Amino acid sequence: MKFINKNEIDDIKGFVEFLKKSKKDFTVSQTGYSLTVDFKGQQFMYIDKITGGKCFASYNMIKRDILNSPVVIDNVPRSTVRYYGVNQFIKNRRQLPDEVLNIDINSAYLTVLFNAGIITQPTYEYVMKSGKNNRLKSVGMLATKRNVLTYKNGEMVNHAVITDSHLRNYFFYCCYEVGEIMNKIAGLLEKKFLFFWVDGIYCTPDTDSKQIVDALTERGFTSKVKHLNACNFKTENDNLYFDYIDTDTLKRKTFCLPFENEENNENIRQFVSILTKEQLTRFNSI
């Protein structure tokens, strides 16, 4: 297999066009992380700078552990997965804090797999050391959908979408478990809870952060605490708008979260589903 870096992207597009014009038989396989051309038994894979070799190595280790694990995850109730939650009292509160306490779970999805005994210690340690982007993408790959385009005599004769429902169950199991933990923490905080988004919870500045950190530690998670300044809240059209200055990047970060109802919950689930089907838009013309 030949790996093609970002600077050679025009080469692989030109290669595909050449095969089409030359009326060759070949296959193009496309995910949100890579594009592979299979021609005469030889594979040419395009990966960008963000998705490197360590990412694929991490994914393959996770996949191997899942396939060998005695822990079987099946029929995850995706309709009950909670990716966010907003305290309804915010709607009627006249004044909201301009300082917010934020507690994030470290490596939430990977830790869920490890705590459940699904992945091994060596795999967990390798993926943890591979860097944040590699870690996030390697777990996200479990939910990947693959578009496979088959060409005969230079003409596309078949388009198939291939998924691995077994691996996808493990990804949504991670989503479900983290959502349940966030919901329980929100219950502990009561009125000090503001909102949570995926693996981060946001609360009033007078919150006892140790209580939350200890609760997460008891569940096998490590976490980090941040004090956010220059925060702004606005409620409009059943949405909560929240922004603050990120102390690491000194840039303003913005959230828009719908107040909870079944329609909004379903919209979020559909949005996350679309994210898992992200395509390389550079190759839309293929």
Side-chain angles (χ1 to χ4, degrees):
M1 178 180 291
K2 178 184 179 183
F3 290 90
I4 301 171
N5 64 38
K6 190 171 185 178
N7 296 329
E8 296 175 284
I9 188 169
D10 290 334
D11 292 345
I12 195 168
K13 290 185 70 174
F15 181 45
V16 170
E17 288 302 317
F18 168 76
L19 294 175
K20 289 163 68 173
K21 290 178 181 178
S22 301
K23 300 186 181 301
K24 301 296 184 181
D25 297 344
F26 64 100
T27 301
V28 175
S29 179
Q30 183 179 358
T31 73
Y33 307 99
S34 66
L35 183 143
T36 304
V37 178
D38 192 322
F39 175 58
K40 290 188 174 181
Q42 186 171 2
Q43 292 183 327
F44 302 83
M45 176 180 279
Y46 161 78
I47 56 177
D48 61 24
K49 289 181 179 178
I50 298 176
T51 309
K54 283 187 177 180
C55 181
F56 283 97
S58 296
Y59 165 69
N60 285 327
M61 292 177 73
I62 293 170
K63 178 181 177 181
R64 178 201 63 199
D65 285 357
I66 287 174
L67 297 178
N68 292 330
S69 174
V71 181
V72 178
I73 303 297
D74 199 10
N75 297 322
V76 176
R78 297 181 193 176
S79 63
T80 62
V81 172
R82 298 172 61 88
Y83 298 102
Y84 78 106
V86 181
N87 196 328
Q88 298 298 305
F89 88 91
I90 292 178
K91 277 187 177 181
N92 304 316
R93 187 164 173 172
R94 293 184 178 180
Q95 187 173 4
L96 289 164
D98 57 6
E99 294 184 13
V100 169
L101 189 71
N102 165 224
I103 302 168
D104 280 331
I105 298 178
N106 297 322
S107 309
Y109 288 4
L110 186 70
T111 303
V112 168
L113 294 174
F114 179 67
N115 288 346
I118 295 168
I119 63 172
T120 62
Q121 181 88 30
T123 294
Y124 178 76
E125 291 178 353
Y126 179 87
V127 179
M128 285 293 291
K129 292 176 182 178
S130 69
K132 182 177 180 178
N133 284 330
N134 285 328
R135 184 171 66 247
L136 292 172
K137 284 180 174 286
S138 62
V139 177
M141 282 180 181
L142 296 174
T144 293
K145 290 193 175 185
R146 182 180 298 275
N147 285 283
V148 180
L149 312 178
T150 303
Y151 290 83
K152 296 289 184 183
N153 296 318
E155 298 290 334
M156 188 176 72
V157 296
N158 189 52
H159 175 202
V161 179
I162 299 174
T163 62
D164 190 321
S165 58
H166 180 62
L167 293 179
R168 284 172 68 84
N169 273 324
Y170 287 83
F171 174 79
F172 287 106
Y173 167 71
C174 294
C175 299
Y176 177 81
E177 287 294 307
V178 171
E180 288 297 292
I181 291 166
M182 289 288 100
N183 199 42
K184 289 176 181 176
I185 297 297
L188 289 175
L189 290 169
E190 297 181 335
K191 289 189 176 182
K192 293 184 178 182
F193 163 68
L194 297 172
F195 69 90
F196 75 82
W197 177 257
V198 187
D199 56 2
I201 198 157
Y202 298 77
C203 38
T204 58
D206 58 339
T207 300
D208 180 5
S209 61
K210 185 177 184 301
Q211 177 192 16
I212 308 307
V213 170
D214 288 347
L216 291 171
T217 301
E218 288 175 6
R219 291 168 171 81
F221 294 92
T222 62
S223 56
K224 55 181 173 289
V225 179
K226 277 188 177 182
H227 292 270
L228 310 180
N229 301 308
C231 302
N232 296 308
F233 287 89
K234 183 174 71 170
T235 59
E236 184 179 313
N237 299 326
D238 271 342
N239 292 321
L240 168 67
Y241 294 88
F242 169 70
D243 64 81
Y244 68 93
I245 298 293
D246 189 308
T247 54
D248 293 332
T249 64
L250 298 180
K251 293 182 179 179
R252 187 161 288 277
K253 188 172 182 179
T254 303
F255 288 88
C256 174
L257 299 96
F259 284 103
E260 290 190 77
N261 57 53
E262 186 49 40
E263 180 182 357
N264 285 338
N265 287 339
E266 180 59 26
N267 288 338
I268 292 291
R269 285 192 286 269
Q270 291 296 326
F271 174 67
V272 174
S273 176
I274 290 170
L275 288 182
T276 65
K277 296 185 290 185
E278 176 192 358
Q279 299 300 310
L280 294 175
T281 55
R282 292 171 180 268
F283 296 97
N284 280 345
S285 61
I286 293 177

